[in-house]
Amino acid sequence: MILFTRLTAVKRTTATATFSIGTAFRTLKTAMTDQMSNGRARDHGTNDDYFATIHHISNIVRRDIYLERTLNKMCISRIVNSELVYRVLRSCSNSGIESFRFFNWVRTQHPQYEPTTVEFEELLKILAKTRHWETMWKVAHQMKTQKLPISSSVVSFIIEHYGKNGLIDQAVELFNKCKNFNCTQTTEIHNSLLFALCEVKNFQGAYALVRRMVRKGMTPDKKTYSVLVNGWCSAGKMKEAQSFLEEMSQKGFNPPVRGRDLLIDGLLNAGYLESAKGLVRKMTKEGFVCDVTTFNTLSEAICEWGEIDFCIALYHDVCRLGLCPDIDTYKIMITATSKIGKIDEAFSVLYRLIEDGNKPFPSLYAPILKGLFRNGRFDDAFSFFSDMKVKGHPPNRPVYSMILKMCVRGGRYVEAGNYLMEMIEFKLSPMSRHFDMVTDGLKNCGKHDMAKKIEQLEISLRGM
């Protein structure tokens, strides 16, 4: 009797689940038929439905074993076009064979759909990324049959992934067969083969490829130099990298940035932080300043290792030598100095940013606010925040959330309540836990009227 009851319950559960799935499909069909008859979203609501449909199809492609059967149950013929197929493929970039199956399903089940070069190339990149080389070549030959060219960027992508997987012979073969796919051997393609050769530590072949580029009259670009320098530095061959840069300079092919900047980048990419720091010290003593992008990369690496004092000193040195910081420089320096409690230094960097004509945005002034709160300087933090609301970009939800949390931790419950109500005025909806921690704090300190007011606000906001 008990067994019969359990079996009956299982059957009911299964039937309910089947009904729910069927209802969901009917709802999806109705939404797609009624709201997407033109194939593209127009207004805001339809836009949400369109992307929800793409998300649903992508989940089926990624996870459903019988994806073709499931997709056949969806009436999506009216919305199938190049854009939809491309978006689904982009969402399934880690599912090679599944993406190939979806692409074939669309072509066979929807004859009105004619794939363009964009979808073909996206599928090629997915198959290369997931190492389905044989299937990738089938797709490439389909493109050739339909007389669709393959762009140099896609060929470069495939060559680089051959190199990442140690398949250097296949990379060289593809490089030599570029003409078969109506693709010329551009500098970009040469750089990708250079990268593949460096990945397998074939520096002799990489150097020979650079010389071949020069003989053919091609001008190496920044990536040409940086790929080879990074490869040599990662193998501990710094002298070879230096001699290569000097030789290219003598031949008139000067790198777009100074050679020592490339060496610093190469040392950082290889993990030789101390060597990079030593090279920068030597440059500053000689009165030279590194490129701002190189300085940002170096500063970020130094800060990650906790050597923020060195980074601050280096920042002042390079600024004296004429470095013009960009937004990334300011962001790195403000975050680093605020984190270790050097608020005055952070303010100095922020004021320089304002003097340069920039308007502070939340992720720039939020670290200073957090640093002031951590040091117990609540009044200074409140004053600074008021100043930023006038002079900077309006605060966003994460900034308000951080202020609420810090105020509650410091026992400043009334201020937390005021900021919470300010959030609501600015239409930045607080989370439920923010309401809870503020109201609990207000009740604990005897501010029951304010706590009740905030509770009523939450009820009206949630529509409860």
Side-chain angles (χ1 to χ4, degrees):
M1 184 65 184
I2 295 172
L3 180 62
F4 175 75
T5 305
R6 288 179 178 174
L7 287 171
T8 305
V10 170
K11 288 179 181 178
R12 287 175 180 171
T13 305
T14 307
T16 305
T18 306
F19 174 78
S20 300
I21 293 170
T23 305
F25 271 122
R26 283 196 297 273
T27 305
L28 186 62
K29 289 176 185 178
T30 304
M32 289 185 295
T33 303
D34 294 343
Q35 298 178 349
M36 298 177 196
S37 58
N38 294 327
R40 289 198 61 170
R42 298 291 179 189
D43 56 29
H44 181 69
T46 309
N47 200 37
D48 290 341
D49 294 331
Y50 177 70
F51 288 110
T53 304
I54 290 172
H55 179 70
H56 184 72
I57 295 172
S58 301
N59 282 334
I60 292 172
V61 174
R62 286 193 298 261
R63 300 172 184 173
D64 199 324
I65 298 175
Y66 307 104
L67 65 92
E68 292 87 355
R69 184 181 68 183
T70 306
L71 290 170
N72 283 331
K73 295 178 182 179
M74 300 172 63
C75 299
I76 60 173
S77 297
R78 298 179 68 182
I79 64 169
V80 169
N81 57 17
S82 295
E83 182 186 354
L84 182 136
V85 174
Y86 174 71
R87 289 185 182 278
V88 172
L89 290 174
R90 283 286 299 270
S91 299
C92 303
S93 59
N94 294 321
S95 305
I97 293 300
E98 292 80 5
S99 297
F100 178 67
R101 288 170 59 189
F102 167 72
F103 187 68
N104 283 340
W105 174 81
V106 174
R107 296 179 68 188
T108 54
Q109 296 298 318
H110 303 85
Q112 80 280 5
Y113 165 69
E114 293 184 6
T116 64
T117 307
V118 176
E119 297 98 86
F120 269 115
E121 290 190 341
E122 186 63 28
L123 184 58
L124 285 176
K125 289 164 70 175
I126 293 171
L127 293 169
K129 183 180 177 181
T130 55
R131 300 187 295 277
H132 292 100
W133 311 111
E134 187 176 347
T135 308
M136 181 196 73
W137 278 110
K138 289 180 181 177
V139 175
H141 286 300
Q142 286 179 16
M143 291 185 69
K144 186 176 180 182
T145 303
Q146 297 185 20
K147 297 182 179 180
L148 294 174
I150 301 177
S151 65
S152 58
S153 60
V154 174
V155 174
S156 299
F157 184 90
I158 296 171
I159 290 174
E160 288 185 8
H161 277 75
Y162 269 135
K164 288 178 181 178
N165 291 278
L167 303 172
I168 192 61
D169 292 337
Q170 289 85 338
V172 173
E173 183 182 1
L174 177 56
F175 177 83
N176 292 329
K177 286 184 176 179
C178 283
K179 292 181 180 179
N180 295 343
F181 296 98
N182 297 323
C183 180
T184 57
Q185 293 179 344
T186 60
T187 302
E188 183 183 13
I189 292 179
H190 278 81
N191 290 341
S192 62
L193 182 58
L194 193 66
F195 172 83
L197 290 165
C198 290
E199 282 288 297
V200 297
K201 308 299 181 186
N202 187 352
F203 299 112
Q204 185 177 357
Y207 191 43
L209 180 63
V210 174
R211 290 200 299 267
R212 179 183 172 185
M213 287 178 66
V214 174
R215 286 197 304 271
K216 290 171 68 176
M218 302 180 68
T219 304
D221 59 11
K222 181 179 178 179
K223 188 176 180 181
T224 309
Y225 296 105
S226 62
V227 166
L228 196 50
V229 170
N230 286 341
W232 264 319
C233 289
S234 63
K237 299 178 180 291
M238 188 173 173
K239 289 182 179 180
E240 285 83 348
Q242 287 177 317
S243 60
F244 163 69
L245 291 171
E246 290 173 1
E247 180 187 343
M248 296 305 290
S249 297
Q250 291 170 1
K251 289 183 178 180
F253 294 95
N254 293 319
V257 294
R258 287 176 296 280
R260 281 187 283 192
D261 290 333
L262 290 175
L263 288 175
I264 293 169
D265 289 335
L267 290 168
L268 289 172
N269 292 331
Y272 296 109
L273 181 62
E274 291 300 323
S275 299
K277 285 166 59 180
L279 189 55
V280 172
R281 282 198 202 97
K282 185 179 178 182
M283 286 178 65
T284 52
K285 285 179 181 178
E286 294 174 358
F288 296 102
V289 61
C290 58
D291 181 72
V292 65
T293 306
T294 302
F295 175 78
N296 292 342
T297 306
L298 178 62
S299 299
E300 203 166 9
I302 292 171
C303 290
E304 285 179 2
W305 281 90
E307 299 183 32
I308 297 173
D309 289 329
F310 176 85
C311 189
I312 295 170
L314 180 62
Y315 168 76
H316 289 299
D317 288 341
V318 294
C319 285
R320 278 196 301 270
L321 292 170
L323 178 75
C324 295
D326 60 9
I327 290 295
D328 290 331
T329 311
Y330 291 124
K331 192 172 182 179
I332 292 166
M333 296 306 303
I334 289 173
T335 303
T337 51
S338 300
K339 193 172 183 179
I340 63 171
K342 294 199 172 186
I343 305 300
D344 293 338
E345 187 69 40
F347 271 120
S348 175
V349 178
L350 181 69
Y351 291 147
R352 173 163 181 171
L353 174 140
I354 296 172
E355 288 172 3
D356 288 346
N358 297 300
K359 195 174 181 181
F361 47 88
S363 59
L364 276 175
Y365 58 78
I368 299 178
L369 271 174
K370 196 169 187 179
L372 288 169
F373 282 126
R374 282 178 172 171
N375 289 344
R377 298 167 58 179
F378 285 89
D379 293 334
D380 290 338
F382 298 146
S383 176
F384 173 65
F385 184 53
S386 299
D387 196 36
M388 284 297 101
K389 284 189 286 186
V390 176
K391 296 180 180 178
H393 289 278
N396 53 20
R397 184 176 173 181
V399 172
Y400 272 111
S401 300
M402 181 267 293
I403 292 175
L404 292 177
K405 186 163 59 175
M406 290 297 180
C407 285
V408 170
R409 284 182 182 177
R412 306 295 286 262
Y413 302 114
V414 175
E415 288 84 352
N418 289 329
Y419 283 124
L420 189 141
M421 288 188 284
E422 191 176 288
M423 278 185 76
I424 297 171
E425 288 176 8
F426 291 152
K427 296 182 180 180
L428 299 171
S429 178
M431 299 184 195
S432 298
R433 58 187 177 88
H434 293 149
F435 281 105
D436 293 339
M437 67 183 184
V438 173
T439 52
D440 290 345
L442 289 169
K443 289 175 183 177
N444 289 335
C445 69
K447 302 290 182 180
H448 296 283
D449 292 339
M450 192 174 187
K452 187 175 181 181
K453 184 179 178 180
I454 289 176
E455 286 176 344
Q456 289 172 350
L457 274 173
E458 183 182 11
I459 291 170
S460 62
L461 187 68
R462 307 294 182 206
M464 297 162 56

